[in-house]
Amino acid sequence: MPHAAADRTCRDDRESVTVLRGFPGRLRLRVPGLKQDDSLATRLRRDLPGVAGIQRVETSSVTGTVLLIHDPTGERTRLVGAVTAVAAGRPPAEAEPSPDVRDAGAAPGDWHLRPAAEVLSALETSAETGLTEDRARLLFRRVGPNVLVESKTRSPVAILLDQVVNLPTGLLLGSAAVSAATGGLLDAGAIAIVSLVNAAIGFATERDAERTISSLSSVAAADAAVLRSGRQRQVPMPEVVPGDILMLSPGAMIAADGRLLRAQSLSLDESLLTGESLPSGKTAGLLLELNLPLGERSNLVFKGTAVTGGSGRAVVTATGQATEIGRIQALAGEARPPETPLQQQLAEMDRTLIWLSLAACAGMVGIGLLRGYGSAQMLKSAISLAVAAIPEGLPTVATVTMALGIRDMRRHKAVVRRLDAIETLGAVGAVCFDKTGTLTENRMVAQQVDCGETALPRLLQVCALNNEVEIDAEGRRHGSATEKALLDLAEARGLDIERVRSDAPLLETQHRSETRRWMTTRHRAAGGTEFLTVKGSPDEVLGLCGRMADGAPLGETERAQVLEANRRMGAEGLRVLAFAEGDASPRSEAGPAGLRWLGLVGLADPVRPEMAELMASFHAAGIRTVMITGDQTATAYTIAKQLNLSQGGPVEILEGTELDKLDPEILRALAERTHVYARVSPANKLQIVQALQAGGQVIAMTGDGINDSPALRAADIGLAMGSGTPAAHEVADLVLQDDRLTTMHVALGEGRTIYRNIRKAIRFLLSTNLSEILVMLGATALRLGQPLTPMQLLWINLVSDVFPGLGLALEPEDRRVLSEPPRDPKAPILSRDDFREVATEGAVMTATALAANLLVRGLAGEGPRASGATFVALTAGQLLHALSCRSETQSLWRGERLPPNPTLNRTMLALGLLTAGALALPWSRRLLGVTGMTAADWLIAGAAGGGSYLVNETIKSRRPQPASRGPAPPRTPPTGGGPAASQPADSHPTARQPAES
């Protein structure tokens, strides 16, 4: 299995063996060099059984680990030393005791390393009576309530400030203030209204999104069962304090972090914290490894998780913000998303426009003073030029375009929290997927059965009998996900669960324990005889069996076949359980000859059926797909292969335990080729996202649990599942209400199209505003007076700029948009070539407008007629220029037709009629300063506007055509139909039965 996770390879005795997991009587170790070394595996199995206290040795050259079954009273440091000596090629008799891991600096908070009695003593409590009420009240006053600090949603004031605190708005308001100070109150009011309209649109859209997210994130308070003064009672979760004894039962939510004192077949759903899909089995025994991931601290329970099976007791060790969830929440609070590509580029453009505006104003004032104009007149002209230089329509076009994109996404059950988030999706270069509940269905399914035809009926009956799932009167099932999956398997094969259970009533149950990794149930058959069923670890259940299901001896050949099937299923990422049965006699439990072997069942959290097709669509769009999971490497590898994350190449995997050891530069380099991150912590997820961002990529992160929230917040785009936790909703940019990741496909196309359309609108606005600047500067240089008043400039900017810009922003999507790679987020929104073309287009519109001014001036002299002709010529030229901006290469003189844009067409017609109406009414003519235009003036102005369009289209027709992108792919989101993850290749139906569910 190829992967990038590095194992320790040092042969030094002090580091040669790593303790992975330890329970009384069991010790699992990682041995460097054991991977792929069958000779070392053989030597360990041969030499270690001679060491006193070791009862059985199991080795795996696939995982590089050794399992020791030993005397629970044996000294573990001596056993570790023996393994170290044999691995180094020395006799085990020469072994020196290895240092105890618990002496390696365990901090007081590392409760999994401390015996239960020591934990109780440190917390001054009792396992049998718990805290007294007085002690609990004292602790409550000292440590505070057991609650997490609620994430504050943005206030209405904060949302409004986000809309108005920007450079274009500031410059506009400054122009309004100067205009008011010089007597132009009407002009000042119009400028201020324009600024407020932009702010109102953005405020209304984002406020609505915040309300929707708040409704998704509402949760109800609950009580916790605790032991106080020797009595069990229900207390509100906020009143739980360190030292309380939690009483755990199926369905209970864990109120606080705690150290287990007792565990009877206890299992917890910790997926929202660890990301691991399988329920976590819990024990009360002592662990030895210092730096275990949260998911492997089997003697601890964590706030926010849930009991799925069994029962137990735990002493509370941390509450509120001191819990693991509280630490993750703090980590999420520290993470900050970067500015979006469009934010960065528009901010840079704003700065550039401000400098150009100031330079143009200063230049015009200087030219005017040199030409003999008065200072008061030049100040008014400078205000007019400032209004002309600022593309007031730019914030409006960008805001409204993204707001309309948000509206479209809401129709697909996606709530967008930030306006610019939908645009950022168009620049995404890599998507990091949380596995559990996102790529998978977050439920267990039996995917493979390995048994003979004669054994299958009995195996299915054992699945139903050796099972603690309870079925209520309404048919609902209550119990662990694993045991529900076994019932589903039996029922799918035609078994009547209730009849089987009634025909063989349960007499006794012996649960799994720390030293006994199987569960036994005793039943009475119809004839009164009693029999046993066994379910558990394949290697240990196999050791209890002496015969096959048909009574034939279970020889070495058959045992080897079972172990190979177990290895193969485990390598495919399945959780494997073994099943056996036998007569209810002492011999059945005492030795390896008492039970009959039935077979193996492999279970897994199935991949969502539409995911394979979705991954292929991302790859076609040039987007990398990365999986991040708390699950084991084998499980992650299998899912990565099913989804083709590596696009046919080897799957590169990096384990979370290695991330902290890597230099940031090395991690950044590895992140560029890693497809899967396994066994990761919440902090690791944040590291991964930041490493990918450091490589210059725009990163989207999906998730649904508390453990995902830091990475969701730090990512350029955080996508949370609607069924996820409130913590995930609060930090995400996009919430998929129906959990359909295929909506991302729609959002990607929407984002790319929005960016392209905003780019078209920006080209249009810059070229039209440039024409206004050049008209003002040119008229001053030519001593033509003030060709356009501030009100005329505002009309042009609001009517002939904003609404055509909005029409361009609603250009229909190019079906090829998702067959091309994402844009470079570092590339400017407009290139140097774009600016040259913008300058040419603006100069053409300027020349035709000034030509109209000069022609009318020649007929009527200086006055309102010349100003009116300039106004009409520039308005008409800009309206027609919107048609030219629909395509950067397609010209009026080329044969290719663009897809229709009815919105732009209707806008052009409406604006033409509106302008004509404004010039027809006396009061609006006076407001605009346009009077006395004759038919000849109108003809000149119209010809000038049409002439600028024809000249620009001619220039555009001479530009080189881009290379053909080939036929457009079908533009439909994936709907499923990819290869089913639950269908194994079945080469031998009697040896490997495909499971049904």
Side-chain angles (χ1 to χ4, degrees), residues 775-776 778-780 782-789 792 845-874 933 936-937 940-942 944-945:
V775 164
M776 298 297 292
T780 302
L782 296 173
R783 295 184 62 86
L784 300 179
Q786 187 174 357
L788 297 169
T789 67
Q792 287 174 347
M845 286 184 282
T846 298
T848 54
L850 288 177
N853 183 288
L854 289 169
L855 288 173
V856 174
R857 184 182 292 270
L859 295 175
E862 183 177 356
R865 281 179 60 186
S867 175
T870 308
F871 170 69
V872 173
L874 199 57
M933 287 185 65
D937 298 341
I940 291 171

Short mmCIF file of all heavy atoms in Angstrom, two decimals, residues 775-776 778-780 782-789 792 845-874 933 936-937 940-942 944-945:
data_model
loop_
_atom_site.label_atom_id
_atom_site.label_comp_id
_atom_site.label_asym_id
_atom_site.label_seq_id
_atom_site.Cartn_x
_atom_site.Cartn_y
_atom_site.Cartn_z
N VAL A 775 -12.74 62.91 -21.30
CA VAL A 775 -13.58 64.01 -21.81
C VAL A 775 -13.36 65.27 -20.97
O VAL A 775 -13.20 66.38 -21.49
CB VAL A 775 -15.06 63.60 -21.82
CG1 VAL A 775 -15.97 64.83 -21.96
CG2 VAL A 775 -15.33 62.64 -22.96
N MET A 776 -13.33 65.10 -19.63
CA MET A 776 -13.13 66.25 -18.75
C MET A 776 -11.74 66.85 -18.94
O MET A 776 -11.58 68.08 -19.04
CB MET A 776 -13.34 65.84 -17.30
CG MET A 776 -14.74 65.35 -16.98
SD MET A 776 -16.01 66.62 -17.20
CE MET A 776 -15.59 67.75 -15.88
N GLY A 778 -9.70 66.44 -21.58
CA GLY A 778 -9.57 66.97 -22.94
C GLY A 778 -10.26 68.30 -23.12
O GLY A 778 -9.72 69.22 -23.77
N ALA A 779 -11.46 68.43 -22.54
CA ALA A 779 -12.18 69.70 -22.66
C ALA A 779 -11.43 70.84 -21.97
O ALA A 779 -11.39 71.96 -22.48
CB ALA A 779 -13.58 69.55 -22.07
N THR A 780 -10.83 70.55 -20.83
CA THR A 780 -10.06 71.58 -20.14
C THR A 780 -8.84 71.98 -20.95
O THR A 780 -8.51 73.17 -21.09
CB THR A 780 -9.63 71.07 -18.75
OG1 THR A 780 -10.80 70.72 -18.01
CG2 THR A 780 -8.86 72.13 -17.99
N LEU A 782 -8.47 71.78 -24.13
CA LEU A 782 -8.88 72.46 -25.37
C LEU A 782 -9.68 73.73 -25.09
O LEU A 782 -10.22 74.33 -26.04
CB LEU A 782 -9.72 71.50 -26.23
CG LEU A 782 -8.99 70.25 -26.75
CD1 LEU A 782 -9.97 69.31 -27.43
CD2 LEU A 782 -7.87 70.64 -27.71
N ARG A 783 -9.80 74.13 -23.81
CA ARG A 783 -10.55 75.33 -23.41
C ARG A 783 -12.01 75.25 -23.89
O ARG A 783 -12.57 76.20 -24.40
CB ARG A 783 -9.88 76.60 -23.95
CG ARG A 783 -8.51 76.87 -23.36
CD ARG A 783 -7.96 78.19 -23.87
NE ARG A 783 -8.82 79.31 -23.45
CZ ARG A 783 -8.73 79.95 -22.28
NH1 ARG A 783 -7.81 79.57 -21.39
NH2 ARG A 783 -9.54 80.95 -22.01
N LEU A 784 -12.59 74.05 -23.68
CA LEU A 784 -14.00 73.86 -24.05
C LEU A 784 -14.93 74.04 -22.86
O LEU A 784 -16.11 73.68 -22.93
CB LEU A 784 -14.20 72.46 -24.66
CG LEU A 784 -13.41 72.16 -25.93
CD1 LEU A 784 -13.69 70.75 -26.40
CD2 LEU A 784 -13.72 73.18 -27.02
N GLY A 785 -14.42 74.55 -21.74
CA GLY A 785 -15.24 74.74 -20.55
C GLY A 785 -15.49 73.42 -19.84
O GLY A 785 -14.67 72.49 -19.89
N GLN A 786 -16.65 73.31 -19.16
CA GLN A 786 -17.01 72.10 -18.43
C GLN A 786 -18.05 71.36 -19.25
O GLN A 786 -19.24 71.67 -19.21
CB GLN A 786 -17.56 72.46 -17.04
CG GLN A 786 -17.80 71.26 -16.16
CD GLN A 786 -18.21 71.65 -14.75
OE1 GLN A 786 -18.27 72.83 -14.41
NE2 GLN A 786 -18.50 70.66 -13.93
N PRO A 787 -17.59 70.31 -20.01
CA PRO A 787 -18.53 69.67 -20.94
C PRO A 787 -19.60 68.85 -20.27
O PRO A 787 -20.66 68.60 -20.86
CB PRO A 787 -17.61 68.78 -21.78
CG PRO A 787 -16.47 68.46 -20.87
CD PRO A 787 -16.26 69.69 -20.03
N LEU A 788 -19.36 68.39 -19.03
CA LEU A 788 -20.32 67.56 -18.31
C LEU A 788 -20.43 68.07 -16.87
O LEU A 788 -19.42 68.28 -16.20
CB LEU A 788 -19.90 66.09 -18.30
CG LEU A 788 -19.83 65.39 -19.67
CD1 LEU A 788 -19.14 64.03 -19.53
CD2 LEU A 788 -21.21 65.21 -20.26
N THR A 789 -21.65 68.24 -16.40
CA THR A 789 -21.87 68.67 -15.01
C THR A 789 -21.80 67.46 -14.08
O THR A 789 -21.91 66.31 -14.53
CB THR A 789 -23.25 69.32 -14.88
OG1 THR A 789 -24.25 68.31 -15.09
CG2 THR A 789 -23.44 70.45 -15.88
N GLN A 792 -24.79 65.30 -14.60
CA GLN A 792 -24.71 64.50 -15.82
C GLN A 792 -23.78 63.30 -15.63
O GLN A 792 -24.08 62.18 -16.09
CB GLN A 792 -24.19 65.37 -16.97
CG GLN A 792 -25.21 66.37 -17.48
CD GLN A 792 -24.61 67.30 -18.51
OE1 GLN A 792 -23.40 67.37 -18.69
NE2 GLN A 792 -25.47 68.06 -19.19
N MET A 845 -14.29 56.32 -27.32
CA MET A 845 -15.53 56.96 -26.86
C MET A 845 -15.30 58.43 -26.53
O MET A 845 -16.17 59.29 -26.77
CB MET A 845 -16.08 56.22 -25.63
CG MET A 845 -16.72 54.88 -25.97
SD MET A 845 -17.48 54.06 -24.54
CE MET A 845 -16.03 53.39 -23.74
N THR A 846 -14.11 58.75 -26.00
CA THR A 846 -13.77 60.15 -25.72
C THR A 846 -13.71 60.97 -27.00
O THR A 846 -14.27 62.07 -27.09
CB THR A 846 -12.42 60.21 -24.99
OG1 THR A 846 -12.51 59.52 -23.76
CG2 THR A 846 -12.02 61.66 -24.73
N ALA A 847 -13.02 60.43 -27.99
CA ALA A 847 -12.84 61.16 -29.24
C ALA A 847 -14.17 61.46 -29.90
O ALA A 847 -14.42 62.58 -30.39
CB ALA A 847 -11.94 60.36 -30.18
N THR A 848 -15.08 60.49 -29.94
CA THR A 848 -16.37 60.72 -30.60
C THR A 848 -17.23 61.71 -29.81
O THR A 848 -17.94 62.53 -30.39
CB THR A 848 -17.12 59.39 -30.77
OG1 THR A 848 -17.23 58.73 -29.51
CG2 THR A 848 -16.36 58.47 -31.74
N ALA A 849 -17.16 61.63 -28.42
CA ALA A 849 -17.94 62.56 -27.61
C ALA A 849 -17.43 63.99 -27.77
O ALA A 849 -18.22 64.95 -27.89
CB ALA A 849 -17.90 62.14 -26.15
N LEU A 850 -16.11 64.19 -27.78
CA LEU A 850 -15.55 65.53 -27.97
C LEU A 850 -15.81 66.03 -29.38
O LEU A 850 -16.00 67.24 -29.61
CB LEU A 850 -14.05 65.52 -27.67
CG LEU A 850 -13.66 65.38 -26.19
CD1 LEU A 850 -12.15 65.30 -26.04
CD2 LEU A 850 -14.22 66.54 -25.37
N ALA A 851 -15.82 65.10 -30.35
CA ALA A 851 -16.14 65.51 -31.72
C ALA A 851 -17.57 66.04 -31.78
O ALA A 851 -17.84 67.06 -32.46
CB ALA A 851 -15.95 64.32 -32.66
N ALA A 852 -18.50 65.38 -31.10
CA ALA A 852 -19.88 65.88 -31.06
C ALA A 852 -19.94 67.25 -30.39
O ALA A 852 -20.67 68.15 -30.85
CB ALA A 852 -20.76 64.89 -30.30
N ASN A 853 -19.16 67.45 -29.32
CA ASN A 853 -19.12 68.74 -28.64
C ASN A 853 -18.64 69.83 -29.58
O ASN A 853 -19.23 70.92 -29.66
CB ASN A 853 -18.20 68.64 -27.41
CG ASN A 853 -18.15 69.92 -26.60
OD1 ASN A 853 -17.56 70.90 -27.03
ND2 ASN A 853 -18.76 69.89 -25.41
N LEU A 854 -17.56 69.53 -30.31
CA LEU A 854 -17.00 70.53 -31.21
C LEU A 854 -17.95 70.86 -32.37
O LEU A 854 -18.09 72.02 -32.78
CB LEU A 854 -15.65 70.04 -31.75
CG LEU A 854 -14.50 70.00 -30.72
CD1 LEU A 854 -13.31 69.26 -31.29
CD2 LEU A 854 -14.11 71.44 -30.33
N LEU A 855 -18.62 69.84 -32.91
CA LEU A 855 -19.53 70.07 -34.02
C LEU A 855 -20.72 70.92 -33.59
O LEU A 855 -21.12 71.87 -34.30
CB LEU A 855 -20.02 68.74 -34.59
CG LEU A 855 -18.98 67.93 -35.40
CD1 LEU A 855 -19.54 66.56 -35.74
CD2 LEU A 855 -18.60 68.70 -36.68
N VAL A 856 -21.33 70.61 -32.46
CA VAL A 856 -22.47 71.41 -31.98
C VAL A 856 -22.00 72.80 -31.58
O VAL A 856 -22.71 73.80 -31.80
CB VAL A 856 -23.18 70.69 -30.81
CG1 VAL A 856 -24.27 71.58 -30.21
CG2 VAL A 856 -23.77 69.38 -31.28
N ARG A 857 -20.81 72.88 -30.97
CA ARG A 857 -20.26 74.19 -30.62
C ARG A 857 -20.09 75.05 -31.89
O ARG A 857 -20.31 76.26 -31.86
CB ARG A 857 -18.92 74.00 -29.91
CG ARG A 857 -18.29 75.29 -29.40
CD ARG A 857 -16.94 74.95 -28.75
NE ARG A 857 -17.14 74.18 -27.54
CZ ARG A 857 -17.28 74.72 -26.33
NH1 ARG A 857 -17.25 76.03 -26.20
NH2 ARG A 857 -17.47 73.95 -25.28
N GLY A 858 -19.69 74.38 -32.99
CA GLY A 858 -19.54 75.13 -34.23
C GLY A 858 -20.87 75.63 -34.76
O GLY A 858 -20.94 76.68 -35.42
N LEU A 859 -21.95 74.91 -34.45
CA LEU A 859 -23.28 75.34 -34.90
C LEU A 859 -23.90 76.35 -33.96
O LEU A 859 -24.58 77.29 -34.39
CB LEU A 859 -24.20 74.12 -35.01
CG LEU A 859 -23.85 73.07 -36.07
CD1 LEU A 859 -24.80 71.90 -35.95
CD2 LEU A 859 -23.93 73.69 -37.47
N ALA A 860 -23.71 76.17 -32.64
CA ALA A 860 -24.45 76.97 -31.66
C ALA A 860 -23.55 77.76 -30.72
O ALA A 860 -24.06 78.54 -29.92
CB ALA A 860 -25.36 76.07 -30.84
N GLY A 861 -22.23 77.53 -30.76
CA GLY A 861 -21.35 78.20 -29.83
C GLY A 861 -21.35 77.50 -28.48
O GLY A 861 -22.03 76.50 -28.24
N GLU A 862 -20.57 78.05 -27.53
CA GLU A 862 -20.44 77.43 -26.20
C GLU A 862 -21.76 77.58 -25.45
O GLU A 862 -22.37 78.64 -25.45
CB GLU A 862 -19.30 78.10 -25.45
CG GLU A 862 -19.03 77.48 -24.09
CD GLU A 862 -17.85 78.13 -23.40
OE1 GLU A 862 -17.19 79.01 -24.00
OE2 GLU A 862 -17.57 77.75 -22.25
N GLY A 863 -22.19 76.49 -24.77
CA GLY A 863 -23.41 76.59 -24.01
C GLY A 863 -24.03 75.24 -23.76
O GLY A 863 -23.43 74.20 -24.01
N PRO A 864 -25.30 75.22 -23.24
CA PRO A 864 -25.95 73.95 -22.88
C PRO A 864 -26.13 73.01 -24.04
O PRO A 864 -26.15 71.79 -23.85
CB PRO A 864 -27.30 74.41 -22.32
CG PRO A 864 -27.11 75.82 -21.91
CD PRO A 864 -26.11 76.39 -22.88
N ARG A 865 -26.26 73.56 -25.27
CA ARG A 865 -26.45 72.65 -26.41
C ARG A 865 -25.22 71.76 -26.60
O ARG A 865 -25.34 70.55 -26.84
CB ARG A 865 -26.73 73.45 -27.68
CG ARG A 865 -28.16 73.94 -27.80
CD ARG A 865 -28.35 74.74 -29.07
NE ARG A 865 -28.07 73.93 -30.25
CZ ARG A 865 -28.05 74.43 -31.50
NH1 ARG A 865 -28.29 75.73 -31.70
NH2 ARG A 865 -27.80 73.64 -32.53
N ALA A 866 -24.03 72.34 -26.53
CA ALA A 866 -22.79 71.56 -26.70
C ALA A 866 -22.64 70.56 -25.56
O ALA A 866 -22.25 69.40 -25.77
CB ALA A 866 -21.59 72.50 -26.76
N SER A 867 -22.98 71.00 -24.32
CA SER A 867 -22.90 70.08 -23.18
C SER A 867 -23.90 68.93 -23.35
O SER A 867 -23.58 67.77 -23.08
CB SER A 867 -23.18 70.85 -21.89
OG SER A 867 -23.23 69.96 -20.79
N GLY A 868 -25.11 69.27 -23.83
CA GLY A 868 -26.12 68.23 -24.02
C GLY A 868 -25.71 67.24 -25.08
O GLY A 868 -25.93 66.02 -24.94
N ALA A 869 -25.09 67.71 -26.18
CA ALA A 869 -24.65 66.80 -27.23
C ALA A 869 -23.55 65.86 -26.72
O ALA A 869 -23.53 64.66 -27.06
CB ALA A 869 -24.15 67.61 -28.43
N THR A 870 -22.64 66.41 -25.90
CA THR A 870 -21.59 65.57 -25.32
C THR A 870 -22.21 64.50 -24.42
O THR A 870 -21.82 63.33 -24.46
CB THR A 870 -20.61 66.44 -24.50
OG1 THR A 870 -20.17 67.53 -25.30
CG2 THR A 870 -19.43 65.63 -24.04
N PHE A 871 -23.20 64.92 -23.63
CA PHE A 871 -23.87 64.00 -22.71
C PHE A 871 -24.57 62.88 -23.48
O PHE A 871 -24.43 61.69 -23.17
CB PHE A 871 -24.86 64.78 -21.87
CG PHE A 871 -25.79 63.94 -21.05
CD1 PHE A 871 -25.34 63.19 -19.97
CD2 PHE A 871 -27.15 63.86 -21.37
CE1 PHE A 871 -26.20 62.42 -19.22
CE2 PHE A 871 -28.02 63.08 -20.64
CZ PHE A 871 -27.54 62.36 -19.55
N VAL A 872 -25.31 63.22 -24.53
CA VAL A 872 -26.04 62.21 -25.30
C VAL A 872 -25.07 61.30 -26.04
O VAL A 872 -25.25 60.07 -26.08
CB VAL A 872 -27.01 62.89 -26.28
CG1 VAL A 872 -27.64 61.86 -27.21
CG2 VAL A 872 -28.10 63.64 -25.53
N ALA A 873 -24.02 61.87 -26.63
CA ALA A 873 -23.05 61.06 -27.37
C ALA A 873 -22.35 60.06 -26.45
O ALA A 873 -22.19 58.88 -26.80
CB ALA A 873 -22.02 61.96 -28.05
N LEU A 874 -21.95 60.52 -25.28
CA LEU A 874 -21.25 59.63 -24.36
C LEU A 874 -22.20 58.57 -23.81
O LEU A 874 -21.83 57.39 -23.66
CB LEU A 874 -20.63 60.45 -23.22
CG LEU A 874 -19.52 59.77 -22.43
CD1 LEU A 874 -18.39 59.34 -23.34
CD2 LEU A 874 -18.98 60.71 -21.35
N MET A 933 -31.54 71.59 -27.27
CA MET A 933 -30.96 70.75 -28.32
C MET A 933 -31.91 70.67 -29.52
O MET A 933 -33.11 70.47 -29.37
CB MET A 933 -30.68 69.34 -27.79
CG MET A 933 -29.48 69.27 -26.85
SD MET A 933 -29.11 67.57 -26.37
CE MET A 933 -28.63 66.85 -27.95
N ALA A 936 -30.63 68.57 -35.29
CA ALA A 936 -29.26 68.37 -35.78
C ALA A 936 -28.32 67.96 -34.65
O ALA A 936 -27.44 67.10 -34.83
CB ALA A 936 -28.75 69.67 -36.45
N ASP A 937 -28.54 68.56 -33.47
CA ASP A 937 -27.71 68.18 -32.31
C ASP A 937 -27.91 66.69 -31.97
O ASP A 937 -26.96 65.97 -31.69
CB ASP A 937 -28.08 69.04 -31.10
CG ASP A 937 -27.82 70.52 -31.32
OD1 ASP A 937 -27.04 70.84 -32.25
OD2 ASP A 937 -28.40 71.33 -30.59
N ILE A 940 -26.15 64.50 -34.56
CA ILE A 940 -24.70 64.48 -34.36
C ILE A 940 -24.35 63.60 -33.17
O ILE A 940 -23.43 62.77 -33.24
CB ILE A 940 -24.17 65.92 -34.16
CG1 ILE A 940 -24.28 66.70 -35.46
CG2 ILE A 940 -22.74 65.91 -33.66
CD1 ILE A 940 -23.99 68.18 -35.31
N ALA A 941 -25.07 63.79 -32.07
CA ALA A 941 -24.76 63.01 -30.85
C ALA A 941 -24.99 61.52 -31.09
O ALA A 941 -24.18 60.68 -30.67
CB ALA A 941 -25.62 63.50 -29.69
N GLY A 942 -26.11 61.16 -31.77
CA GLY A 942 -26.38 59.75 -32.04
C GLY A 942 -25.33 59.13 -32.93
O GLY A 942 -24.89 57.98 -32.71
N ALA A 944 -22.24 60.06 -33.23
CA ALA A 944 -21.00 59.92 -32.46
C ALA A 944 -21.04 58.68 -31.58
O ALA A 944 -20.06 57.92 -31.50
CB ALA A 944 -20.78 61.17 -31.61
N GLY A 945 -22.20 58.44 -30.90
CA GLY A 945 -22.31 57.25 -30.06
C GLY A 945 -22.21 55.98 -30.87
O GLY A 945 -21.51 55.04 -30.50
#
